[in-house]
Amino acid sequence: MADHEAERVTLARLPSGVAIETTVHTYAPEDEPAGDDTPTVYVQAAQHGREINGAAVCRQLHDELVDADLSGTVHVVPVADPLTFDTVSYTTPEAYDSVNPNMNRCWPGDPDGTLHERMAATLWEYAGDADFIVDLHTGSRDMLTHTVYLRGDAECRALAEAFGTDLLLAETAGEDADEEWASRNFGGKLRVAATREGIPSITPELAHNKELVDDAIETGVEGTKRALRHAGVLDDHEDVPAWDGTRARNHLGRVTADASGLFRAAADLAIGDEVVEGKYVGEVYDPTTYEVCQEATADRSGVVYSVAREATVTAGQTLVGIAIRLDDEEREIE
């Protein structure tokens, strides 16, 4: 059995004075306080409010952690951003934080900053002291489950492999990244900010947002348990299986819509497919004139990890996400 404490934490306050609160669960070895030499893992979910499968992972994980033998501490935050959770949204309404509507762009936060910066700073008090971080996210129903880690960071890669999704995406950051990485402020992601501070961190992207899906939840629970074993916190005498999947380069320059309209994906296109540069992936057409505005093609060879299935698209919207396969270690900058 583990010691368990559920702490109600005030993240920030609304203009009315109403507190924005969440719950931080802490699990530690029973009757034996964790020392400075024992590992700590920080797990959070629902930083984007519509990505609810991670919150369900935390609930199921709770039942196992309270009965587990632990050799360290686990902090779990099932709802990191109550503002977006309550509005079932990716970003917060403009009235709450017009400067930083996306909480996952302002880590490690600022206790004197905007609403989201203050919320991040409060949670950073837990995350910043961790030895490993698992930031659970959820992609759309048409996104292949994968785990993102910092390209070239051996400890992050080892944690991602331990989590165990079949697809790992290595993301280039900082000066080595392309212009879009900086323009979208990806340096403010929790995973990036933590890795910058020397904390190995990963972002698993489970499947199916807005709906609870048993397969996605199970993937998250088993992956998080493997990550806890890798960190040396969960002592259940089970080994972390050797990972044998696909590593690919996280690709920000996705196939995008040249014009607004309706997008019909190619009939033979599915997530997980291997495509070659120039392959037809679908068309965007004007629903009023029936004119085809764009015959979309793969801009590079790689693994299809997302396909837009909500057919109404606007110019610049992602139609298909393609990640370049990294076939061996020699092709990845270490």
Side-chain angles (χ1 to χ4, degrees), residues 18-322:
V18 172
I20 305 168
E21 296 183 329
T22 195
T23 301
V24 179
H25 296 266
T26 299
Y27 309 84
E30 185 181 26
D31 300 327
E32 183 181 335
D36 293 339
D37 59 342
T38 60
T40 297
V41 179
Y42 176 82
V43 179
Q44 75 168 26
Q47 190 172 182
H48 299 134
R50 67 190 184 194
E51 301 177 11
I52 57 175
N53 277 302
V57 167
C58 295
R59 182 191 186 199
Q60 189 167 321
L61 189 66
H62 167 81
D63 295 333
E64 302 202 31
L65 288 181
V66 293
D67 292 328
D69 290 325
L70 299 181
S71 299
T73 302
V74 186
H75 297 301
V76 178
V77 182
V79 179
D81 189 345
L83 293 177
T84 57
F85 192 92
D86 288 346
T87 53
V88 197
S89 60
Y90 184 77
T91 57
T92 195
E94 183 178 3
Y96 291 133
D97 196 332
S98 60
V99 177
N100 294 296
N102 188 338
M103 184 179 177
N104 202 27
R105 299 294 184 270
C106 59
W107 291 87
D110 181 349
D112 299 316
T114 68
L115 212 57
H116 266 154
E117 287 178 324
R118 292 171 187 239
M119 292 166 63
T122 301
L123 292 178
W124 185 256
E125 294 177 15
Y126 300 89
D129 288 334
D131 298 292
F132 300 88
I133 291 177
V134 177
D135 184 17
L136 295 167
H137 285 248
T138 306
S140 69
R141 69 176 63 186
D142 297 304
M143 178 177 284
L144 190 65
T145 297
H146 61 275
T147 302
V148 186
Y149 69 97
L150 180 64
R151 187 178 180 189
D153 190 298
E155 291 188 76
C156 291
R157 174 179 165 181
L159 184 61
E161 290 182 353
F163 193 91
T165 56
D166 289 337
L167 177 64
L168 304 185
L169 293 186
E171 181 179 76
T172 302
E175 294 180 356
D176 296 327
D178 63 18
E179 183 179 346
E180 185 180 0
W181 191 91
S183 67
R184 294 175 66 180
N185 197 24
F186 283 0
K189 292 181 180 181
L190 170 59
R191 173 177 51 79
V192 176
T195 302
R196 194 164 51 228
E197 294 296 320
I199 307 170
S201 306
I202 57 173
T203 305
E205 291 276 3
L206 308 175
H208 299 272
N209 60 24
K210 295 185 181 180
E211 56 181 324
L212 296 179
V213 177
D214 288 342
D215 287 347
I217 296 168
E218 185 64 22
T219 295
V221 170
E222 291 305 312
T224 304
K225 286 164 59 178
R226 285 193 292 264
L228 293 176
R229 294 186 193 112
H230 171 80
V233 170
L234 182 58
D235 187 14
D236 60 0
H237 307 292
E238 290 194 30
D239 295 328
V240 178
W243 179 79
D244 182 22
T246 298
R247 285 189 303 113
R249 188 191 312 166
N250 196 21
H251 172 40
L252 292 174
R254 303 177 179 98
V255 180
T256 57
D258 291 341
S260 302
L262 293 180
F263 174 62
R264 179 180 290 276
D268 61 347
L269 187 69
I271 56 173
D273 283 355
E274 293 274 356
V275 295
V276 296
E277 182 178 355
K279 176 180 171 60
Y280 172 79
V281 295
E283 66 178 21
V284 178
Y285 70 92
D286 185 326
T288 63
T289 66
Y290 319 132
E291 175 189 4
V292 174
C293 306
Q294 175 186 4
E295 290 193 353
T297 58
D299 65 336
R300 62 192 59 209
S301 301
V303 181
V304 174
Y305 69 91
S306 70
V307 178
R309 297 299 183 187
E310 294 185 7
T312 305
V313 298
T314 55
Q317 183 175 334
T318 298
L319 304 177
V320 180
I322 301 172

